[in-house]
Amino acid sequence: MSSSPFSSAQAARAAIASRLDEIRRDAGLTGHELAARCGWHKSKSSRIARGRTLPSDADIRSWCAACGAEEQAADLIAASRTAESMYVQWKQIHRDGMRRVHQKTTPLYQRTRHFRVYASNLIPGMLQTAEYATGLLRSITEFQQTPDDVEAAVKARLDRSRVVREGDHRFALLIEEAVLYYRVCDDAAMAGQLGYLLSVMAQANVSLGVIPFGARRRIWPLEAFYAFDEGLVAVETLTAEINVAAPGEVGTYLKAFAELSQIAVHGAQARAHIIRAIDSLA
């Protein structure tokens, strides 16, 4: 089993490269012969076979055709697309702004019945107010130097978040106490955001836990992650989103969530932590 979602993405890409190289060897071709048949620079086939260059759909078709293995192209292309989607840089996701990614993921949110979210750095997206989201997305846009569509992106995020109030969805969310104090917007907006947490946690379909500063850690702080039912976990890093679908790794994240739940406080105790954070803004 891979030790991290990033290593799983690397392993998936390596598997594609290995399979392509195996097809070349079965065809009795050298790397240079294959490159010549495909009309490539002589080093390209080597870079693909070593996993240094991720092949495009056209590359895979050309490779298979050159080796007389056209029938394998479709499966390899599907596997390559899956590997490519496992690790996607934010720069690529946000290349034309942030509105599109919110709209693209809305169907995933709508079909998910059970959300489990661990947030170590921010209020989870589906619980963000417009003002908090505006402050956050503005800072992301400036840091990443991506196209500025903050107003449209905030609207798309709020539209996606309607699943909290509509439909048959359950939410189990855990936040580190520090998240209640991180200022990604002005004090008035932050107070409004924390007040909204108090409101939404009263809903029957929402369980919100706070992991206190002084909690005895049964598991260390992790990167933020969103689990969609039992089939997919999206992990957020500074540079990329990592999508984990391998059952063993999904299970590891769900186990971590269960462990983190054990050290979190809920109900009246969680509300007390939120109220204390609101009072600190005065």
Side-chain angles (χ1 to χ4, degrees):
M1 183 183 298
S2 297
S3 59
S4 72
F6 178 58
S7 63
S8 287
Q10 291 177 311
R13 293 179 178 182
I16 300 299
S18 178
R19 181 62 189 134
L20 287 170
D21 201 42
E22 182 180 337
I23 290 173
R24 175 192 62 77
R25 293 196 306 271
D26 288 346
L29 298 175
T30 67
H32 287 179
E33 289 170 339
L34 173 65
R37 289 192 181 190
C38 293
W40 297 338
H41 185 277
K42 61 182 181 180
S43 66
K44 181 173 180 177
S45 59
S46 176
R47 293 198 308 272
I48 290 175
R50 294 179 181 179
R52 294 180 178 176
T53 297
L54 188 67
S56 66
D57 293 358
D59 290 339
I60 293 174
R61 291 191 188 95
S62 294
W63 188 296
C64 290
C67 297
E70 292 91 338
E71 73 284 354
Q72 298 191 49
D75 285 346
L76 282 166
I77 287 170
S80 180
R81 289 178 178 177
T82 298
E84 186 175 8
S85 69
M86 290 177 69
Y87 183 94
V88 188
Q89 291 188 335
W90 292 120
K91 182 180 293 187
Q92 178 182 347
I93 295 172
H94 297 157
R95 62 185 179 275
D96 56 359
M98 288 182 281
R99 173 186 58 83
R100 186 176 63 88
V101 68
H102 289 89
Q103 294 176 331
K104 182 179 179 180
T105 53
T106 293
L108 171 62
Y109 278 62
Q110 291 174 336
R111 67 175 178 265
T112 298
R113 303 270 69 81
H114 189 191
F115 294 80
R116 276 160 287 195
V117 179
Y118 167 71
S120 54
N121 49 12
L122 295 165
I123 301 296
M126 68 274 289
L127 298 187
Q128 292 175 8
T129 63
E131 294 78 13
Y132 184 97
T134 297
L136 171 63
L137 299 187
R138 174 66 61 197
S139 65
I140 292 173
T141 295
E142 293 174 355
F143 182 78
Q144 295 181 347
Q145 297 185 321
T146 49
D148 185 347
D149 67 343
V150 170
E151 184 176 348
V154 169
K155 182 180 183 303
R157 173 165 289 199
L158 295 179
D159 287 344
R160 189 181 66 180
S161 299
R162 291 168 60 183
V163 293
V164 178
R165 303 181 302 278
E166 301 175 0
D168 180 22
H169 310 278
R170 292 183 294 129
F171 296 85
L173 307 109
L174 301 173
I175 60 176
E176 297 284 349
E177 186 176 2
V179 170
L180 303 175
Y181 295 88
Y182 291 149
R183 305 287 203 274
V184 299
C185 52
D186 62 40
D187 286 358
M190 193 68 196
Q193 173 64 76
L194 296 175
Y196 179 67
L197 289 185
L198 293 174
S199 173
V200 76
M201 68 187 295
Q203 294 182 196
N205 66 325
V206 175
S207 170
L208 177 63
V210 176
I211 301 174
F213 286 125
R216 174 66 174 87
R217 306 298 304 208
R218 294 175 55 173
I219 187 168
W220 56 96
L222 304 173
E223 64 275 11
F225 63 85
Y226 289 66
F228 302 90
D229 292 322
E230 283 73 40
L232 176 69
V233 175
V235 184
E236 298 181 344
T237 73
L238 176 63
T239 57
E241 178 181 77
I242 304 170
N243 294 295
V244 178
E249 288 190 271
V250 170
T252 298
Y253 274 95
L254 297 184
K255 177 182 178 182
F257 186 88
E259 292 286 336
L260 289 163
S261 296
Q262 294 297 312
I263 61 174
V265 296
H266 297 78
Q269 288 180 284
R271 295 178 68 87
H273 282 284
I274 296 171
I275 293 170
R276 190 176 303 125
I278 294 174
D279 290 343
S280 74
L281 295 169

